Amino acid sequence: MPLHALIFDVDGTLADTERDGHRVAFNRAFADAGLDWDWDVDLYGDLLKVTGGKERIQHYAALRSPHPLSRDFIAQLHAAKNRHYEALLAHNDIPLRPGVRELLEEARAAGVRLAIATTTSPENVSALLSHALPDGEHWFDVIGAGDVVAAKKPAPDIYEWVLKKLGLGPRDCVAFEDSENGVRSAMGAGLKTIVARNAYTRNHDFTGAVLVVEEWAGVDLGAVRRLV
Ligand code: XBP
Ligand code: MG
């Protein structure tokens, strides 16, 4: 089966952004808003089951109080969190996971197209790429991110949206993920999926993935082609 495109998740897959990036940014936005919420490393691991920053805030608010937060307040909190995230990336060094750049470069050299399918907001994708892969944002033909679809991962919608924009079918592409919600989403769209686990997703259920590894280093294009 010819391989036409590689489709990457962002958070946890291209880079380990959650613990020292998104989590810290959420906490800074909560403090700014006068909320006494503190998402520690373990609690954040549980909260990652809910994909999407706005959805995660809403879920946590419902655990804390029977009175729902307004959509406007959640949207403001989330926008503040994304501003903190961007500032953090500018000051912290959150690099690409080992092996990612090599795989992207190999695909480009071989004429295999690149795309992104993520739950995170588009501005966060740009912020990450501008710092971790400064020459690389234009390497991706399609970037599907955030609210472009109503149903976030584990729904297949974001991968289906990206496939449609690429003009390709799922059998022409491979998905790269780090989490159970991501694998459910990609497989739901009919994609073969390769997983590199991380500290937050080590115990997730990856049933159905074609390969599960600890790191991307060693997953080269030849290895990907042999799996499809
Ligand atoms: C990523 C997420 C995101 C980020 C925060 O999931 O769940 O919500 O934690 O992003 P995946 P926003 O890697 O499976 O796409 O705050 O921008 O929503
Ligand atoms: Mg992920």
Side-chain angles (χ1 to χ4, degrees):
M1 186 64 58
L3 178 64
H4 291 295
L6 311 183
I7 310 176
F8 288 85
D9 169 51
V10 174
D11 296 307
T13 298
L14 291 183
D16 273 319
T17 49
E18 294 289 8
R19 193 192 68 182
D20 301 329
H22 289 294
R23 184 186 67 86
V24 175
F26 277 114
N27 285 332
R28 290 187 179 171
F30 299 154
D32 290 349
L35 293 165
D36 65 345
W37 299 356
D38 178 26
W39 290 359
D40 67 25
V41 171
D42 287 344
L43 171 62
Y44 193 66
D46 292 338
L47 295 173
L48 280 173
K49 289 181 191 124
V50 180
T51 57
K54 291 190 289 289
E55 293 80 354
R56 193 168 299 139
I57 292 169
Q58 190 175 27
H59 167 80
Y60 183 75
L63 296 177
R64 292 286 300 248
S65 159
H67 307 294
L69 296 179
S70 76
R71 282 168 70 98
D72 279 357
F73 183 69
I74 291 177
Q76 280 169 28
L77 208 47
H78 185 243
K81 172 259 163 184
N82 282 351
R83 287 193 294 275
H84 278 296
Y85 179 72
E86 202 172 339
L88 266 165
L89 288 183
H91 294 106
N92 283 11
D93 194 19
I94 299 192
L96 296 181
R97 289 185 68 177
V100 167
R101 175 181 267 278
E102 291 78 358
L103 184 54
L104 297 175
E105 285 176 343
E106 207 188 350
R108 274 167 55 77
V112 175
R113 297 164 71 195
L114 299 172
I116 280 176
T118 177
T119 305
T120 205
S121 316
E123 62 266 32
N124 295 341
V125 179
S126 296
L128 177 71
L129 293 178
S130 69
H131 294 293
L133 192 68
D135 45 342
E137 197 168 349
H138 69 279
W139 292 5
F140 297 91
D141 282 358
V142 174
I143 296 184
D147 297 330
V148 72
V149 291
K152 293 192 169 145
K153 298 175 187 179
D157 302 40
I158 191 67
Y159 277 101
E160 289 169 351
W161 187 93
V162 168
L163 286 170
K164 198 166 170 201
K165 291 276 175 194
L166 284 168
L168 295 171
R171 288 158 63 87
D172 301 324
C173 309
V174 173
F176 295 79
E177 274 288 353
D178 70 302
S179 71
E180 185 172 341
N181 280 328
V183 169
R184 299 276 81 77
S185 174
M187 286 180 52
L191 286 151
K192 294 216 165 108
T193 308
I194 303 178
V195 176
R197 304 191 297 181
N198 58 46
Y200 271 136
T201 66
R202 191 133 291 142
N203 298 318
H204 284 196
D205 179 359
F206 297 120
T207 304
V210 292
L211 178 69
V212 180
V213 295
E214 301 305 316
E215 282 301 342
W216 294 120
V219 179
D220 59 15
L221 203 58
V224 176
R225 285 190 200 279
R226 283 193 290 280
L227 291 164
V228 298

